[in-house]
Amino acid sequence: MTFSTGRTSKVDVLIVGAGPAGLMMALWMAKLGIKARVVDKRADKVFSGHADGLNVRTMEILDSFGIGERVSKESYHRHEASFWNPDKNGIIRRDARAPTSQPDLSRFTWCLLHQGHIETFLLDAIREASMSVHIDRNVMPSALRIDEEQVARANAHDSKQSPGSEGTSKTDDDAYPIEVTLRHLSEDGATPMQRLSNLGDRLHGSDATDDNQAIFDCRSGAINRALELQEETVRARYLVGCDGTHSWVRQALGEGYEMVGETTDSIWGVLDIVPVTDFPDIRIPCTVRSASEGTVIVVPRENHLVRLYIQLKEVSTGSGAADRSKITSEVIFRTARRILSPYSLDYHYIDWWSAYQIGQRSGNRFSKLDRIFLAGDAVHTHSPKAGQGMNTAIQDTYNLGWKLGLVCKRVLRREVLATYELERRRIAKQLIALDQKLSQLFVGRPAKDILDETGVTMAEFEKASRMNKMFTTGIGIRYTPNLLVSIVEKRHESPPDDGSTQNMSDEDQQQHLALATNCQPGTRFASHRALCQADARPWELHHRMPSDGRFRIVIFGGDISRPPQLALVNSLGAWLSVSLQPRFLVLSMPGAASKFKAARDPSVIDVLLVHSAPRERVELLTDLHDVYHPFDDKLGWDYEKTFADGHGRAYRGYGVNDKGLGAAVVVRPDGYVGLVTSLDEVGRDRIGKWFEAILRRG
Amino acid sequence: MTFSTGRTSKVDVLIVGAGPAGLMMALWMAKLGIKARVVDKRADKVFSGHADGLNVRTMEILDSFGIGERVSKESYHRHEASFWNPDKNGIIRRDARAPTSQPDLSRFTWCLLHQGHIETFLLDAIREASMSVHIDRNVMPSALRIDEEQVARANAHDSKQSPGSEGTSKTDDDAYPIEVTLRHLSEDGATPMQRLSNLGDRLHGSDATDDNQAIFDCRSGAINRALELQEETVRARYLVGCDGTHSWVRQALGEGYEMVGETTDSIWGVLDIVPVTDFPDIRIPCTVRSASEGTVIVVPRENHLVRLYIQLKEVSTGSGAADRSKITSEVIFRTARRILSPYSLDYHYIDWWSAYQIGQRSGNRFSKLDRIFLAGDAVHTHSPKAGQGMNTAIQDTYNLGWKLGLVCKRVLRREVLATYELERRRIAKQLIALDQKLSQLFVGRPAKDILDETGVTMAEFEKASRMNKMFTTGIGIRYTPNLLVSIVEKRHESPPDDGSTQNMSDEDQQQHLALATNCQPGTRFASHRALCQADARPWELHHRMPSDGRFRIVIFGGDISRPPQLALVNSLGAWLSVSLQPRFLVLSMPGAASKFKAARDPSVIDVLLVHSAPRERVELLTDLHDVYHPFDDKLGWDYEKTFADGHGRAYRGYGVNDKGLGAAVVVRPDGYVGLVTSLDEVGRDRIGKWFEAILRRG
């Protein structure tokens, strides 16, 4: 092969892969104005097939970037599931219905929408946020080099500026220790067949064709036709591999980054069709277990589409190698038809089909030297049936993106980057454990063997589904104590994963947790409604907490129509404004197109007040400290920082006593609770220490 | 002047003016695939200033085109108002607060957002709907001719096909009786100064500079520089004048189309600024009456903006002619500052300013020969303070658009076009009457004279505001009986405006009104939530009733788990499907980009079923007649036509007895109730006659 010598460029963050994980990463970069580049070997986004499930937490995350409603509007909304089993005559019957939405959990419900739409919305949001991110398609990496000495030098430089010391040199982090060679592909070589292609490209598992290899095969052909490849070198501060199951980045990292786990025997087919059927529950997610033909899982989608997962018994082999020649869309469809019999099943339109073997694997290491990170399918794979693939991928980089962005902006200490692996690896392991259990159930014996003592009972299946449910909503996720999650839960059970020094006595801890019983550190801060003090508008608090890279201290100020409580809140306000905020760097925002720009960049620590006094008994500008309505020379007072708990619902929702002394909840930029404490001097001290441990001095 | 001879073209509907009224008209045309053209002399949409209030009904209308949430998201939401008056020392004090939102009225609240944003959203929706509409800027009409003989011939042809007769000739309405000459302007000539321009362009009232004239003056200058004007001729079936206060179309219609009404003495200034102030209620709409400096009306807006309406006492003259030289943004601002004293008022950013004299006028005729129509400011003007300008304009063409579109598609009889003037003229008159009352109050004596027996009391002011409120939400609007509104209310009070023959005995009428007490003919059909039978998703019923040109019969089927009630509903279903729907033309839809297209065009009469049985006791496909889940060869069954009143809320909301015999409500394409009747044979007969009177036979 011949390669033209290309240019060399620098970028803060290089992202490999423009799927949901890569684009979420890119979105954070755009929001924070970090110079980033996404490269993807595909020529375009995904147009059909692939992932489609968006759990409740992912919906909240998308909403925090302003695209939740757009997604919700186009999606199928899941509210109910049903379970079909054979009756004593072997005819499938609806055994049970179960509601799947939990109204108190979130204002969103589980949504189903094709991955391609999500990618479009993410791309739109990236473009809107800033011009700092470039997305290059038809490009893939071919060589990776990391200068470990440079990494060590930068770390040594950092550690000189220990927590508590002041001032920061502007040149302490000029390292670009990563060098990646990129190859620019032609249109032909870059687009793997996305539609109705043969099985080879689709089978998950170790024996599946490697897409990368396929592309280079293809390129070889191109070379033979005397085309020239463009090559370039990129130097980056950080590299994020969001490049899927066959991750090039992971493979380039080599030893220690192997995926560990198993491939199950069974083969599943997937069909995305607009069904023409008299099966009654075709618009409800359901599991249909036939007497002897296997199982179909029905997943309704947007736009009349339904996805069917079909167990392909005849092509499953004990040796783990499937006989691919036997698998066609026709075979898959006919199997589905037999399982759903006596109901009819037909289609006029097929959108996509595929087949896969379930592989349940994860990597033990999600990062290298806190400079290179792996996310999404690149570091954990599992069955698609729990609908967790796209969710976990998006949530991986949603966790990583703000940390990396704020480190690049020199606002956050680099030590915080270690929390990515700490937090997300545990979630991946939990997910795979759950998936293993669920997959066994799905591929368990045929229903006629259910009563066999070694088989799977209906009750067992439903129990596993229920257990699964809370975790799979994404709301059940809980990060264990670390630099960013300040709590010591009953120490004997789960010791902190890191050397966090923020220990409290158990007694103190219990007291502080009682301040806001529904705001547990490590879980996501929920959204409840409160009325804007200035204009009486009801707001979902999440809508005042967008993903903009800022930490937030939500002050539950209690009944501030009582003078002592008002004094407590204002005294805390003075401390926040005079002592805390100025200690750290401000958060410079990428230049928005708005003509209504603030005079100053905001503090990286935002303050929101939610009081429980009757709204009309509070005068925003005269009663409350400025920090609760910050002043800007150009824009005047900020009227959207102080809220009244109009109907008492917010305090109930967060578990705060509306007659008590209040509570302060520190919320991370990704919406997870970092710390819960009191409004008094003890609380101030804890808040101060929490931020000192992670933020650089201004 | 020299003009090049231009081309001649044909179009179904020519719309003059691309403001909110013209764009709403264009949106209907795009939705229905009607060949239409919008011409506007301005080079671009409005960027600042002008209208900003969106009442609850307008929000529902925008939402019916899929842009409600986008508007809501960017808007200021009005929830509260306050009233400031001088205390005994002459210092302004907050006298009262009042909630302005009525949660039971609509899921929307009053929104404030700049007209330019609304225009953008309308333009986006037009582009998305179809390619049938072209918008030409820098173009204005210069001559209008209507061929009355051709109109008469077409009408005569129509009347041969009397209601009830079958078949329709494809060539009966090939008339293009309207001929309009258009002039294409250069960029320079077409853009009136939009920002900080002098008063001349802004003063409403008879003595204001005519924009049209101003542009031709400008053109004369251009001609002197040897430029050539392009001229073309357009022949149209219909012409709609949405060209504002100085409507060229209205003027071209000449005698009989004069605006009738008065101009008040007082001059008001308007400022759109980002205020820097310590006035506490700057984010609440409020009226501030000072002791001796006049009145300021505060209207908060999106994006930190606040609009201030300021009474300019010193420039008001008794003779009606204002001394313009005295009015600058500085004068207006200083007046506002004096009124708001002792509070501070400053600004860094000013978006727009203007001054106007209140003119309250309307035309007696809204149409000519049912071929040329006037809408919006072209036919009614009033003070902007009630926030009704843009709303009434949008609602005018929302009323006209579907009628004209369906007539163009030969689905609707042309006689229906007469209902536009019948329905909208009455609303304009009511609006102006209210506005006159309100304006008098606003410009009434200074507060110190309030106690004077001839002055305006606070109580009087608040009462007028309350009366105003229901009307101005847009929900209070009620069309009186006509071809499209089948009801005879207590005849002695309000006789029908037209010769509608659909009379019922008073007793029958009362019985039928009792079927659905909150669905009164002539008012808008409200939105309540019901669960989709097929998938348990809760839907706002409005979201299943988009503005797509279809009539809807909402069947409140009652408790269909009871066999006799199910039989009644299914028997009605058979009649709807076999006897009613096939009688009329289907509604061909403009080619959408979707790959999921139905095999057939739908009936112009859509059927929705809302039952009150427990959802799990109904099987959609096997219990209910096909009309409640219509089949399509390509898409299978339609799962989104049948709903269960999950929590009993929908039946309560619509005023239907959930244990009773049900009710059928005919809803027009604009969401207004046309007819309420029973599910039995009497009801069928009424439904059949109602549609026979307005739809052409298929």
Side-chain angles (χ1 to χ4, degrees):
Chain A
M1 292 193 199
T2 47
F3 294 104
S4 68
T5 33
R7 61 194 177 94
T8 297
S9 59
K10 278 185 179 179
V11 71
D12 288 331
V13 179
L14 180 65
I15 301 162
V16 182
L23 293 179
M24 175 52 72
M25 190 69 202
L27 181 51
W28 264 128
M29 298 302 100
K31 278 280 170 188
L32 294 170
I34 305 297
K35 202 179 156 199
R37 193 165 160 194
V38 186
V39 296
D40 195 296
K41 63 190 181 216
R42 292 175 306 172
D44 209 332
K45 62 185 170 57
V46 166
F47 285 116
S48 53
H50 302 275
D52 55 7
L54 295 164
N55 70 21
V56 169
R57 180 61 189 147
T58 302
M59 289 301 298
E60 291 182 352
I61 289 170
L62 294 174
D63 195 53
S64 76
F65 289 105
I67 55 180
E69 276 171 11
R70 224 178 135 187
V71 173
S72 173
K73 201 168 176 175
E74 300 205 6
S75 298
Y76 171 85
H77 292 204
R78 196 181 74 173
H79 286 278
E80 191 177 69
S82 72
F83 304 92
W84 289 67
N85 284 294
D87 63 13
K88 58 186 178 197
N89 301 315
I91 309 293
I92 54 168
R93 302 271 176 211
R94 188 194 293 124
D95 254 4
R97 294 184 200 245
T100 55
S101 54
Q102 293 153 274
D104 294 340
L105 200 64
S106 172
R107 64 199 190 284
F108 289 104
T109 187
W110 189 292
C111 284
L112 287 144
L113 182 66
H114 175 246
Q115 177 179 337
H117 293 259
I118 318 293
E119 292 180 9
T120 301
F121 298 156
L122 289 170
L123 286 165
D124 288 350
I126 290 165
R127 266 190 293 268
E128 238 175 66
S130 77
M131 302 294 289
S132 72
V133 174
H134 291 274
I135 296 172
D136 288 323
R137 301 197 183 266
N138 299 335
V139 172
M140 65 176 299
S142 62
L144 167 62
R145 196 183 140 266
I146 179 161
D147 183 340
E148 300 201 8
E149 264 180 48
Q150 220 184 115
V151 173
R153 264 202 312 279
N155 289 349
H157 189 288
D158 271 13
S159 67
K160 273 187 236 155
Q161 200 218 359
S162 60
S165 73
E166 279 183 49
T168 175
S169 150
K170 290 289 173 202
T171 57
D172 65 342
D173 191 21
D174 273 351
Y176 288 81
I178 297 160
E179 197 179 278
V180 176
T181 308
L182 296 178
R183 288 183 186 170
H184 292 252
L185 312 173
S186 77
E187 280 282 331
D188 287 350
T191 312
M193 277 283 283
Q194 288 190 7
R195 185 183 297 256
L196 303 184
S197 62
N198 65 40
L199 182 68
D201 292 327
R202 298 289 171 57
L203 262 185
H204 291 203
S206 57
D207 57 343
T209 303
D210 184 312
D211 275 356
N212 297 347
Q213 193 50 50
I215 284 170
F216 275 99
D217 289 349
C218 173
R219 288 305 318 159
S220 306
I223 295 296
N224 290 342
R225 294 195 300 276
L227 289 174
E228 198 187 25
L229 281 176
Q230 290 285 330
E231 210 169 62
E232 67 162 310
T233 304
V234 176
R235 292 183 58 201
R237 294 180 194 276
Y238 299 96
L239 172 67
V240 187
C242 307
D243 46 350
T245 313
H246 306 294
S247 171
W248 179 89
V249 175
R250 189 190 66 230
Q251 290 169 19
L253 288 174
E255 214 182 306
Y257 289 85
E258 296 83 3
M259 295 281 271
V260 181
E262 281 168 21
T263 303
T264 64
D265 293 347
S266 62
I267 306 270
W268 287 75
V270 196
L271 288 180
D272 284 356
I273 57 174
V274 175
V276 179
T277 177
D278 56 6
F279 177 68
D281 285 2
I282 198 73
R283 296 303 298 170
I284 295 173
C286 55
T287 310
V288 183
R289 300 173 58 141
S290 67
S292 57
E293 301 289 346
T295 297
V296 162
I297 296 165
V298 175
V299 184
R301 291 257 302 271
E302 78 281 4
N303 232 340
H304 310 287
L305 281 171
V306 173
R307 171 166 289 188
L308 301 175
Y309 289 105
I310 302 120
Q311 188 186 358
L312 299 176
K313 291 168 40 175
E314 59 264 59
V315 289
S316 299
T317 67
S319 70
D323 181 357
R324 293 175 193 173
S325 66
K326 285 191 184 165
I327 305 178
T328 64
S329 65
E330 222 9 67
V331 165
I332 301 174
F333 175 67
R334 278 201 312 268
T335 309
R337 207 179 214 174
R338 281 197 305 272
I339 297 169
L340 288 180
S341 165
Y343 296 101
S344 69
L345 178 66
D346 236 309
Y347 64 85
H348 179 89
Y349 182 79
I350 179 167
D351 201 49
W352 186 71
W353 72 274
S354 181
Y356 63 91
Q357 240 171 326
I358 298 173
Q360 289 147 332
R361 294 189 183 76
S362 71
N364 273 324
R365 299 177 64 184
F366 280 39
S367 63
K368 176 162 187 166
L369 300 172
D370 285 333
R371 286 286 179 172
I372 302 177
F373 301 88
L374 298 170
D377 288 354
V379 76
H380 43 76
T381 67
H382 35 81
S383 127
K385 283 184 226 73
Q388 292 298 302
M390 179 157 57
N391 291 296
T392 311
I394 287 175
Q395 290 176 34
D396 277 351
T397 47
Y398 185 64
N399 180 291
L400 175 61
W402 65 273
K403 295 172 185 172
L404 207 46
L406 292 183
V407 167
C408 286
K409 290 178 95 77
R410 300 167 200 263
V411 169
L412 200 64
R413 298 184 184 280
R414 190 148 47 213
E415 299 92 284
V416 174
L417 293 178
T419 63
Y420 169 65
E421 183 174 287
L422 282 174
E423 296 187 332
R424 298 305 300 174
R425 185 177 53 191
R426 187 165 161 270
I427 301 303
K429 301 273 183 209
Q430 286 179 325
L431 172 60
I432 287 169
L434 260 169
D435 187 56
Q436 278 167 340
K437 181 148 189 113
L438 210 65
S439 292
Q440 277 169 11
L441 295 174
F442 276 122
V443 301
R445 317 295 172 79
K448 65 180 164 55
D449 297 338
I450 283 178
L451 296 178
D452 188 308
E453 80 273 12
T454 57
V456 175
T457 65
M458 192 61 211
E460 198 177 347
F461 175 78
E462 284 180 7
K463 188 184 161 209
S465 291
R466 272 195 306 276
M467 274 173 48
N468 198 34
K469 207 163 84 176
M470 191 62 192
F471 182 82
T472 55
T473 60
I475 305 297
I477 283 174
R478 179 175 197 153
Y479 298 138
T480 47
N482 64 54
L483 260 183
L484 293 169
V485 177
S486 184
I487 178 179
V488 183
E489 296 177 280
K490 305 166 196 154
R491 257 175 251 184
H492 46 285
E493 272 189 13
S494 58
D497 286 10
D498 71 334
S500 163
T501 54
Q502 303 185 41
N503 293 323
M504 298 172 73
S505 75
D506 280 4
E507 199 179 322
D508 275 9
Q509 189 66 57
Q510 290 313 315
Q511 271 183 5
H512 278 253
L513 289 183
L515 293 171
T517 51
N518 298 332
C519 301
Q520 297 298 316
T523 66
R524 80 91 166 79
F525 184 77
S527 189
H528 295 286
R529 285 194 160 208
L531 303 178
C532 179
Q533 175 66 35
D535 65 15
R537 175 174 178 177
W539 279 99
E540 284 288 338
L541 280 187
H542 273 192
H543 283 157
R544 303 314 307 159
M545 307 172 79
S547 288
D548 59 0
R550 304 180 75 190
F551 290 84
R552 290 195 165 80
I553 308 181
V554 182
I555 309 289
F556 291 97
D559 183 357
I560 55 174
S561 66
R562 292 171 39 230
Q565 190 65 19
L566 181 64
L568 181 66
V569 167
N570 278 337
S571 150
L572 174 63
W575 177 80
L576 290 167
S577 153
V578 175
S579 174
L580 186 73
Q581 287 177 333
R583 222 185 284 176
F584 308 109
L585 289 165
V586 297
L587 191 61
S588 62
M589 296 300 205
S594 170
K595 50 192 175 187
F596 308 103
K597 260 188 94 63
R600 289 181 303 276
D601 282 323
S603 164
V604 71
I605 303 171
D606 190 22
V607 175
L608 297 178
L609 172 64
V610 185
H611 67 77
S612 59
R615 178 172 157 272
E616 66 279 6
R617 294 187 57 191
V618 174
E619 285 291 342
L620 179 70
L621 301 187
T622 45
D623 289 347
L624 286 163
H625 188 277
D626 288 11
V627 79
Y628 304 119
H629 51 91
F631 187 79
D632 181 273
D633 297 334
K634 285 185 173 179
L635 302 181
W637 298 107
D638 189 332
Y639 297 94
E640 299 185 326
K641 296 295 181 198
T642 295
F643 301 85
D645 186 12
H647 310 283
R649 282 191 219 133
Y651 271 60
R652 261 201 309 284
Y654 292 111
V656 181
N657 177 0
D658 61 353
K659 308 285 179 231
L661 292 173
V665 178
V666 176
V667 183
R668 316 176 344 173
D670 58 1
Y672 284 77
V673 175
L675 173 72
V676 179
T677 189
S678 55
L679 306 186
D680 56 10
E681 284 188 31
V682 176
R684 284 183 216 175
D685 188 52
R686 293 217 168 102
I687 293 171
K689 283 191 178 140
W690 194 89
F691 281 108
E692 283 287 353
I694 59 166
L695 292 183
R696 293 197 185 209
R697 286 264 180 166
Chain B
M1 290 192 199
T2 49
F3 294 105
S4 67
T5 33
R7 61 193 176 94
T8 298
S9 59
K10 279 184 179 179
V11 72
D12 289 331
V13 178
L14 179 65
I15 301 162
V16 181
L23 292 179
M24 175 51 71
M25 190 70 203
L27 181 50
W28 264 127
M29 298 302 101
K31 278 279 171 188
L32 294 170
I34 306 296
K35 204 179 154 199
R37 194 166 158 192
V38 186
V39 297
D40 196 298
K41 65 190 179 215
R42 293 174 305 173
D44 210 331
K45 62 185 170 57
V46 166
F47 286 115
S48 54
H50 303 276
D52 55 7
L54 294 164
N55 70 22
V56 169
R57 180 61 189 145
T58 302
M59 288 302 297
E60 291 183 350
I61 290 170
L62 295 174
D63 195 52
S64 77
F65 290 104
I67 54 180
E69 277 170 11
R70 224 177 135 187
V71 173
S72 174
K73 201 168 178 176
E74 299 205 6
S75 297
Y76 171 85
H77 292 204
R78 195 182 76 173
H79 287 276
E80 191 177 68
S82 72
F83 303 91
W84 289 67
N85 283 294
D87 64 12
K88 58 186 177 198
N89 301 318
I91 308 293
I92 54 169
R93 301 270 176 213
R94 188 194 294 124
D95 253 3
R97 294 185 201 244
T100 56
S101 54
Q102 295 152 274
D104 294 339
L105 201 63
S106 171
R107 63 198 190 286
F108 289 104
T109 186
W110 190 293
C111 284
L112 288 145
L113 182 67
H114 174 246
Q115 178 179 337
H117 293 259
I118 318 291
E119 291 180 8
T120 301
F121 298 155
L122 289 170
L123 286 165
D124 288 350
I126 290 166
R127 266 190 293 266
E128 238 176 65
S130 77
M131 302 294 288
S132 72
V133 174
H134 291 274
I135 296 172
D136 288 322
R137 302 198 182 264
N138 298 335
V139 171
M140 66 177 299
S142 63
L144 167 64
R145 196 183 141 267
I146 178 162
D147 183 338
E148 301 201 7
E149 262 179 52
Q150 222 186 113
V151 172
R153 262 202 313 277
N155 289 349
H157 190 289
D158 271 13
S159 67
K160 272 187 236 157
Q161 202 219 357
S162 60
S165 72
E166 279 181 48
T168 175
S169 150
K170 290 287 173 208
T171 56
D172 66 341
D173 192 21
D174 273 352
Y176 287 81
I178 296 160
E179 198 180 279
V180 176
T181 308
L182 296 178
R183 287 183 186 171
H184 292 251
L185 312 172
S186 78
E187 281 282 331
D188 285 351
T191 314
M193 279 282 282
Q194 289 190 7
R195 186 182 298 253
L196 304 185
S197 62
N198 63 41
L199 183 66
D201 292 328
R202 298 289 172 58
L203 260 186
H204 290 202
S206 58
D207 58 342
T209 302
D210 183 314
D211 275 356
N212 298 345
Q213 193 50 48
I215 284 170
F216 275 98
D217 289 351
C218 173
R219 288 306 318 159
S220 306
I223 295 296
N224 291 341
R225 294 197 298 278
L227 290 173
E228 198 187 25
L229 281 175
Q230 289 286 330
E231 208 168 65
E232 66 161 312
T233 305
V234 175
R235 292 182 57 201
R237 294 179 195 275
Y238 299 96
L239 172 67
V240 187
C242 306
D243 46 348
T245 313
H246 305 294
S247 171
W248 179 90
V249 175
R250 190 190 66 230
Q251 288 169 17
L253 288 174
E255 213 182 306
Y257 290 85
E258 297 83 4
M259 297 281 271
V260 181
E262 280 168 21
T263 303
T264 63
D265 293 347
S266 62
I267 307 268
W268 288 75
V270 196
L271 288 179
D272 285 355
I273 56 174
V274 175
V276 179
T277 177
D278 58 5
F279 177 67
D281 286 2
I282 199 72
R283 294 304 298 170
I284 295 174
C286 55
T287 310
V288 183
R289 299 174 57 143
S290 68
S292 57
E293 300 289 346
T295 298
V296 163
I297 297 164
V298 175
V299 184
R301 289 259 301 272
E302 78 282 2
N303 231 341
H304 312 287
L305 281 171
V306 173
R307 172 166 290 187
L308 301 175
Y309 290 104
I310 303 119
Q311 187 186 359
L312 299 175
K313 290 168 43 178
E314 57 265 56
V315 288
S316 301
T317 67
S319 69
D323 181 357
R324 294 174 192 174
S325 65
K326 286 192 184 164
I327 305 178
T328 64
S329 65
E330 220 11 65
V331 165
I332 301 174
F333 174 68
R334 280 202 310 266
T335 309
R337 207 178 215 174
R338 282 197 305 272
I339 297 169
L340 288 179
S341 162
Y343 296 102
S344 68
L345 177 67
D346 236 308
Y347 66 85
H348 178 89
Y349 182 79
I350 178 167
D351 201 49
W352 186 70
W353 72 272
S354 180
Y356 63 91
Q357 239 171 325
I358 298 173
Q360 289 145 332
R361 295 190 185 78
S362 71
N364 274 323
R365 300 176 65 184
F366 280 39
S367 63
K368 176 161 187 168
L369 301 172
D370 284 334
R371 287 284 179 172
I372 302 176
F373 302 88
L374 298 169
D377 288 355
V379 76
H380 44 75
T381 66
H382 36 81
S383 127
K385 282 183 228 73
Q388 292 297 299
M390 180 157 58
N391 292 295
T392 311
I394 287 175
Q395 290 177 34
D396 278 351
T397 48
Y398 185 65
N399 181 291
L400 176 61
W402 64 273
K403 296 172 184 172
L404 208 46
L406 292 184
V407 167
C408 286
K409 288 177 98 74
R410 300 167 199 265
V411 169
L412 200 64
R413 297 183 184 280
R414 189 145 52 211
E415 299 91 284
V416 174
L417 294 178
T419 64
Y420 168 66
E421 183 174 287
L422 281 174
E423 295 187 335
R424 297 305 301 175
R425 185 178 53 192
R426 189 165 158 271
I427 301 304
K429 301 274 181 206
Q430 286 179 325
L431 172 60
I432 287 168
L434 261 169
D435 187 57
Q436 278 168 341
K437 183 147 188 109
L438 211 67
S439 293
Q440 278 170 11
L441 295 175
F442 277 123
V443 302
R445 315 295 173 77
K448 66 181 163 54
D449 298 338
I450 283 178
L451 296 177
D452 189 305
E453 79 274 12
T454 58
V456 175
T457 65
M458 192 60 208
E460 199 177 349
F461 174 78
E462 285 180 5
K463 187 182 161 209
S465 291
R466 273 195 305 275
M467 275 173 47
N468 199 33
K469 206 162 86 175
M470 191 62 192
F471 181 82
T472 55
T473 59
I475 304 297
I477 282 174
R478 179 175 199 154
Y479 298 139
T480 49
N482 64 53
L483 261 181
L484 293 170
V485 178
S486 184
I487 179 179
V488 183
E489 294 178 281
K490 306 166 195 156
R491 257 173 249 183
H492 47 284
E493 270 188 16
S494 59
D497 286 9
D498 71 333
S500 164
T501 55
Q502 303 185 40
N503 292 324
M504 298 169 76
S505 75
D506 279 5
E507 200 178 319
D508 275 10
Q509 190 64 58
Q510 290 312 314
Q511 273 184 5
H512 279 253
L513 288 183
L515 294 170
T517 51
N518 298 332
C519 300
Q520 296 297 315
T523 65
R524 81 90 165 80
F525 184 79
S527 190
H528 295 286
R529 286 195 159 206
L531 303 179
C532 180
Q533 176 66 35
D535 64 15
R537 174 172 178 178
W539 280 99
E540 285 288 338
L541 280 187
H542 273 191
H543 283 157
R544 302 315 305 159
M545 307 171 80
S547 288
D548 59 1
R550 304 179 74 192
F551 290 84
R552 289 193 167 83
I553 307 181
V554 181
I555 311 286
F556 291 98
D559 183 356
I560 56 173
S561 65
R562 291 172 39 230
Q565 190 64 20
L566 180 64
L568 181 67
V569 166
N570 278 337
S571 150
L572 174 64
W575 177 80
L576 290 167
S577 153
V578 175
S579 175
L580 187 73
Q581 286 178 331
R583 221 185 286 176
F584 307 110
L585 289 164
V586 297
L587 192 62
S588 61
M589 296 299 209
S594 170
K595 51 191 175 188
F596 308 103
K597 258 189 95 63
R600 289 181 303 276
D601 282 324
S603 165
V604 71
I605 303 171
D606 189 21
V607 175
L608 298 179
L609 172 64
V610 185
H611 67 77
S612 58
R615 177 171 156 272
E616 66 279 6
R617 293 189 55 192
V618 173
E619 285 291 342
L620 179 69
L621 300 187
T622 46
D623 288 348
L624 286 163
H625 188 278
D626 288 12
V627 80
Y628 304 120
H629 50 91
F631 186 78
D632 181 274
D633 297 335
K634 286 185 172 177
L635 302 181
W637 299 107
D638 189 330
Y639 297 93
E640 299 186 326
K641 296 295 182 196
T642 294
F643 302 84
D645 187 10
H647 311 283
R649 282 191 219 132
Y651 271 60
R652 261 202 308 284
Y654 292 112
V656 181
N657 177 358
D658 61 353
K659 308 285 180 231
L661 292 173
V665 179
V666 176
V667 183
R668 316 177 342 173
D670 58 0
Y672 283 78
V673 175
L675 174 71
V676 179
T677 190
S678 54
L679 305 186
D680 57 9
E681 284 188 29
V682 176
R684 286 182 213 175
D685 188 53
R686 293 217 168 102
I687 293 170
K689 283 191 177 141
W690 194 88
F691 281 109
E692 283 287 352
I694 59 165
L695 292 183
R696 293 198 186 207
R697 286 265 179 162

